[in-house]
Amino acid sequence: MTSAEAATEADGRLTPEARRAVTAAFLGWTMDAFDYFVVVLVYADVAKEFGVSLTQMAFLTTVTLIMRPVGAGIFGLWADRVGRKKVLMVDVGFYSVVGFACAFAPNYSTLLVLRLLYGIGMGGEWGLGASLAMEKVPPRRRGLVSGVLQQGYSCGYLLAAAAYLAITNWTSWGWRGLFALSIVPALLSLFVRARVKESEVWEETRATAAENKTTFGQIIRSPLVLRRFGYLVLLMTAFNWMSHGTQDVYPTYLKDGLHFAHNTALYIAMLYNVGAIIGGTVMGAASERFGRRAVVVICALLGLPILPLFAASSSLGLVCLGSFLMQLAVQGAWGVIPAHLTELSPAEIRGFYPGVTYQLGNCLAAFNLPIQEHLAKTHSYTFALCATMIPVFLAVAGLAAVGKEARGQALARSGTPQPDSPKAAAHPRGRHVPLAH
């Protein structure tokens, strides 16, 4: 354990420096989600202006998700070499400019290229922000901070819905005005990041790795690292399908499937994102007591009995209740992920490893929206939601149940990870699962 970790272990409160790091990561993730869900909310409007089909417009979200692993790899490797802070600031600046440029796209092809570039920037932010935040907070607070941090995603969706309501009802800016707003939260995030110091855990890990001449190739070729990498990609594929499968097509379902008024659909979206924020925060904190995997399994299995209420209700009251409960469960499971992936990552490549596994899962789940749109067209939205989500909930629960966790793991260790020992794996707190010695 490093001197920094020892100090924070003794005092469970977040230091001002830790709070700034968490705030910076939260704002960055909020900005990412805001821009992503702007596309989800406006793709019917953009399709009408550019004269393209909804299936083509849905591909905008697909190409963004496909490019995320590229950004996670590029920015992650760079951050493991030169530090978290500098690379995060470059990344935020990059995707802010690209998101802003979307407001001026003259045609569909240009917008497609811009969304591709945005995917690269979006891919880099989550892993680096999560690593920086988790490396600065006390181990006993990682669960709570993880839940709060991940809800930047839901806050971004909530802000996108609120901004869409404001711009479409009170201005004549249209969808382009929404993209222009993408630059505002990023400027705030850059300001906060300018006040955040570099991760002490990264500095100590980097110094030890340099002394031992540990290379990226040595670490990534470790059998345990490779096995865990493959497992986490599968887990994140199921997680991302769970999230996007219950969110991306849902606004269209509310409008075209249930024929709710446009504003009504947005108010419902805002309501279920409140549920997401509550679920992620509460369940992230609960994972510190009950374990990361246990919380994920419980939340995923809770999604199954909620699904009929979520996908088959027609009255406004039941739709509100079903969508609220669904996102409470789905994002409750997600509240664990920043801490879980960070703790399972080798110290020397923590900028690269969590982000790439997360975003490869996103990439593999990228075809969710086109598939759901196709099933809705050939059958119904209720069928599309149920047919895709039942196996996904079971997959998330099953993968989480058979995996490992490293709750409370010291983050600054160096060297190639060794196989998990039975004793460590069975420890009720999961504190001693060896990641690197």
Side-chain angles (χ1 to χ4, degrees):
M1 182 176 294
T2 68
S3 57
E5 286 180 314
T8 54
E9 176 72 40
D11 184 355
R13 294 176 298 176
L14 298 185
T15 65
E17 171 64 19
R19 287 196 293 270
R20 287 193 291 268
V22 172
T23 301
F26 178 88
L27 290 173
W29 193 223
T30 299
M31 167 61 196
D32 266 349
F34 175 90
D35 194 277
Y36 176 82
F37 281 107
V38 162
V39 177
V40 172
L41 292 171
V42 305
Y43 74 81
D45 301 331
V46 181
K48 183 177 180 180
E49 179 172 330
F50 288 156
V52 298
S53 68
L54 288 179
T55 301
Q56 286 176 286
M57 282 304 303
F59 187 64
L60 283 180
T61 64
T62 301
V63 76
T64 300
L65 297 178
I66 287 173
M67 295 309 295
R68 281 191 188 184
V70 177
I74 292 171
F75 289 107
L77 287 172
W78 188 16
D80 284 328
R81 289 177 178 269
V82 304
R84 319 294 191 218
K85 176 182 173 181
K86 182 189 299 184
V87 179
L88 275 167
M89 294 183 71
V90 172
D91 182 37
V92 171
F94 172 74
Y95 73 62
S96 301
V97 171
V98 173
F100 181 74
C102 290
F104 306 97
N107 51 51
Y108 174 79
S109 297
T110 302
L111 185 60
L112 183 65
V113 172
L114 288 171
R115 299 312 297 174
L116 183 150
L117 293 173
Y118 184 85
I120 295 174
M122 189 177 188
E125 199 284 333
W126 185 90
L128 303 186
S131 296
L132 178 62
M134 292 297 109
E135 288 174 347
K136 287 198 176 272
V137 302
R140 74 176 87 171
R141 292 289 180 261
R142 283 186 204 143
L144 174 61
V145 170
S146 177
V148 171
L149 177 60
Q150 189 62 26
Q151 294 328 298
Y153 183 83
S154 299
C155 286
Y157 192 171
L158 184 61
L159 288 174
Y164 186 88
L165 274 172
I167 285 179
T168 54
N169 290 336
W170 302 333
T171 75
S172 59
W173 296 354
W175 63 267
R176 296 182 185 274
L178 275 172
F179 280 116
L181 287 177
S182 297
I183 198 108
V184 177
L187 291 175
L188 178 59
S189 181
L190 283 171
F191 170 76
V192 174
R193 282 197 170 110
R195 301 176 57 203
V196 176
K197 297 177 182 178
E198 185 53 79
S199 166
E200 297 88 347
V201 172
W202 172 80
E203 290 175 339
E204 295 187 36
T205 300
R206 182 65 178 167
T208 304
E211 181 181 346
N212 296 336
K213 298 182 179 179
T214 307
T215 66
F216 174 84
Q218 289 174 329
I219 297 170
I220 205 66
R221 287 195 300 268
S222 162
L224 173 59
V225 171
L226 287 175
R227 287 198 306 271
R228 186 168 288 174
F229 187 89
Y231 163 76
L232 290 176
V233 170
L234 287 176
L235 181 65
M236 288 296 97
T237 300
F239 257 87
N240 280 292
W241 200 293
M242 179 174 68
S243 180
H244 292 296
T246 57
Q247 289 185 333
D248 291 4
V249 80
Y250 204 68
T252 307
Y253 163 56
L254 295 175
K255 292 180 288 185
D256 297 347
L258 297 178
H259 306 292
F260 286 152
H262 188 75
N263 284 3
T264 301
L266 285 174
Y267 287 128
I268 294 171
M270 294 170 71
L271 174 66
Y272 65 65
N273 274 286
V274 173
I277 292 168
I278 295 171
T281 304
V282 171
M283 299 311 289
S287 75
E288 206 59 54
R289 178 176 181 181
F290 300 108
R292 317 291 190 217
R293 295 182 302 134
V295 165
V296 171
V297 171
I298 290 169
C299 288
L301 294 179
L302 281 175
L304 291 171
I306 297 171
L307 187 58
L309 184 65
F310 172 73
S313 298
S314 57
S315 67
L316 179 60
L318 290 179
V319 167
C320 288
L321 178 62
S323 60
F324 180 90
L325 292 176
M326 179 59 74
Q327 293 309 317
L328 191 81
V330 169
Q331 297 305 321
W334 268 101
V336 172
I337 293 302
H340 191 45
L341 293 192
T342 301
E343 290 168 335
L344 290 174
S345 297
E348 298 87 347
I349 56 172
R350 192 172 291 121
F352 170 89
Y353 201 81
V356 173
T357 53
Y358 182 115
Q359 303 301 356
L360 278 174
N362 240 328
C363 180
L364 294 174
F367 295 96
N368 159 74
L369 183 56
I371 289 173
Q372 286 186 321
E373 286 283 15
H374 174 74
L375 290 175
K377 185 177 180 180
T378 57
H379 295 79
S380 68
Y381 280 103
T382 296
F383 177 84
L385 288 166
C386 291
T388 53
M389 294 314 301
I390 289 173
V392 166
F393 284 131
L394 293 174
V396 170
L399 286 167
V402 302
K404 304 291 184 183
E405 70 176 71
R407 188 169 25 133
Q409 174 74 54
L411 296 183
R413 294 188 176 187
S414 185
T416 304
Q418 302 298 320
D420 299 319
S421 69
K423 181 178 179 180
H427 195 285
R429 287 285 295 169
R431 289 186 177 278
H432 305 298
V433 177
L435 294 182
H437 295 284

